[in-house]
Structure formats: C-alpha cells, structure tokens
Amino acid sequence: MKARVLFFATFRDRVGARAIEMELPDGSRVAELKTRLQVQYPVLAELMSSALVSVNREFAFNEDVLAEGAEVAIFPPVSGGVHSDYPTFVAITEQELDINALLSQISLPTSGAACFFTGMVRGVTQRGDAHATAYLEYEAYQPMAEEKLRQVADEMRQRWPSLQGVVVIQRIGRLDPGTPTVLVACSAAHRDTGVFEAARYGIDRLKEIVPVWKKEVGPQGEAWVEGKYIPERTDTVDHG
C-alpha cells in the first residue's frame, strides 16, 4: 500500500521535505510507519517519542491500521459539529484581524455582551529565560487545523449553549512584535451567560488540538516552540 506522509515544524526541518510517498505492507499500523520513518530518517529518532500523528486529518494512534492512499501527518505537540442557527466563523489566515468587523459579524439584535481574547507577539519574554524576539513564523497543517478550529467552536457551544456568535481564527506567516496572532470571541444575550469562560476555554483548547506551530526568531537564533499536550482518542471527532 502507499501512503503520503506530510511533515510539519521541527519534523519538516529535520527531513528537509514537506511530504514524501511511502510504500508499506498492507495492514500496516501507525506504529510501523513511525518505525520505518526512523530507519529512513535517523535524525527523527529523538523526536518520534513525542510525535503526534494524524491520518486523513484526524488524530491517530499507534494501533490504528492505515488504508491505501492515507494522508498521514507527523508533527510535534501543538502549541464535523454542533448545528447552530447562530453565526460561527473559523479560519486559518494570513490576513490582519479586524476586531470591529468580527464583532459586527457575531452581534445579533439580541446580543448584549461579547468577549474577545487575542494573543499577540511578544517583543520581549521575561518569564523563564528572558530573551528578545524579532518575529515569529507561524505554520499550520491547514486542512486539519481548520477542522479542529471548528471542533473548538463546537465544543464551546456544547458547554455554553447560551452562546450566540463564535469566532476562532489563527494567523500564520511572519508576524512582528505587537501583532495579534490568534482570536477567540463569542457573544451572548448577557455577560453572565458564559462568554468569559467560553473564550478562555476556546483559546486553551486551541493550544491543545489545533496543529499550528511557531518558530521564534531573535538575536539568539531561531527555534520551534513546541507544546506538551498529547491528544487522546477522546480529542477526535466521530465522523461516522
């Protein structure tokens, strides 16, 4: 059987390619593919123990069997849905985030409250090893990332049914200090119906399951910034 393997962030740098084609025995599992990759690319050996894998844009696990033509993605831990008549906007974009325009999109005649969270590029990091940042370079496994943004929005609605509009957007590309990088927003009839909690949940969940990574570039050099969260099968969506 054949599989197409995509590499992101540190894995792409080590392999020196964004994608390869692999021949595998029929019935091969994810664990076997990972072993073959380590043999073919010894530079991946120290990374593979923490590697995350997706198959056809959904998280996959060592015991999962691969099918002919599978699209497999290998990447580090990342730094369908609920029906609703209310507006939901999710996107991976290189465009500037226009907060006023987004507010108008999620505001209904019955909306009386909206909560926005936006992260931005720090020029100076003081926590931990203090250092300066010249810019960040964001990349995403875009098709899967957009599906996972939708999952985040759906989970927000499941937990806080009173939400009206929901926005979850991640920027990619080169972003300079002071530039907004991500935005999670939601509206509701009143401020005490979960908008604060939902926005906080949304950004935390995005950092867990959406395949987006950043490379930090500064006077000290450049390095990929990776997370620690390892998804479980409960983080997947049942498409059946």
Side-chain angles (χ1 to χ4, degrees), residues 41-144:
Y41 300 100
V43 292
L44 296 182
E46 65 183 277
L47 301 177
M48 202 57 78
S49 62
S50 63
L52 303 187
V53 179
S54 72
V55 175
N56 297 331
R57 304 174 189 175
E58 190 54 85
F59 289 120
F61 304 88
N62 285 339
E63 66 273 18
D64 292 343
V65 177
L66 298 169
E68 172 68 33
E71 181 181 273
V72 182
I74 310 291
F75 45 82
V78 297
S79 49
V82 178
H83 174 74
S84 174
D85 294 328
Y86 290 131
T88 300
F89 301 93
V90 301
I92 300 292
T93 181
E94 295 186 16
Q95 303 302 311
E96 247 181 79
L97 302 180
D98 186 333
I99 292 178
N100 288 330
L102 291 168
L103 177 61
S104 69
Q105 288 180 303
I106 63 171
S107 296
L108 305 178
T110 54
S111 299
C115 184
F116 279 70
F117 171 86
T118 182
M120 62 188 68
V121 180
R122 286 186 300 274
V124 176
T125 297
Q126 295 179 323
R127 186 169 60 186
D129 296 329
H131 61 275
T133 297
Y135 64 90
L136 296 179
E137 186 75 33
Y138 279 83
E139 77 166 17
Y141 176 19
Q142 190 157 344
M144 182 179 176

Side-chain angles (χ1 to χ4, degrees), residues 5 24 41 49 58 68 72 154 157 169 179 208 218 221 225 227:
V5 183
L24 297 161
Y41 300 100
S49 62
E58 190 54 85
E68 172 68 33
V72 182
D154 290 344
R157 290 196 181 281
I169 297 176
T179 304
E208 290 178 342
V225 179

Side-chain angles (χ1 to χ4, degrees), residues 120-208:
M120 62 188 68
V121 180
R122 286 186 300 274
V124 176
T125 297
Q126 295 179 323
R127 186 169 60 186
D129 296 329
H131 61 275
T133 297
Y135 64 90
L136 296 179
E137 186 75 33
Y138 279 83
E139 77 166 17
Y141 176 19
Q142 190 157 344
M144 182 179 176
E146 289 174 346
E147 292 179 10
K148 288 300 177 183
L149 290 179
R150 172 68 64 175
Q151 180 179 335
V152 171
D154 290 344
E155 289 180 6
M156 291 167 65
R157 290 196 181 281
Q158 286 176 330
R159 287 162 173 74
W160 292 275
S162 58
L163 295 184
Q164 295 180 345
V166 173
V167 173
V168 189
I169 297 176
Q170 172 70 55
R171 286 194 67 183
I172 57 174
R174 173 174 168 157
L175 300 177
D176 296 324
T179 304
T181 62
V182 62
L183 185 141
V184 178
C186 48
S187 63
H190 303 281
R191 69 179 184 277
D192 59 356
T193 52
V195 287
F196 295 103
E197 296 84 357
R200 175 60 185 266
Y201 175 87
I203 185 59
D204 289 346
R205 190 67 167 138
L206 182 154
K207 295 290 186 180
E208 290 178 342

Side-chain angles (χ1 to χ4, degrees), residues 9-32:
T10 311
F11 291 85
R12 188 197 69 219
D13 285 355
R14 294 286 182 92
V15 172
R18 290 185 178 274
I20 63 168
E21 300 290 332
M22 287 193 73
E23 290 272 1
L24 297 161
D26 290 346
S28 291
R29 299 178 185 272
V30 168
E32 295 166 73

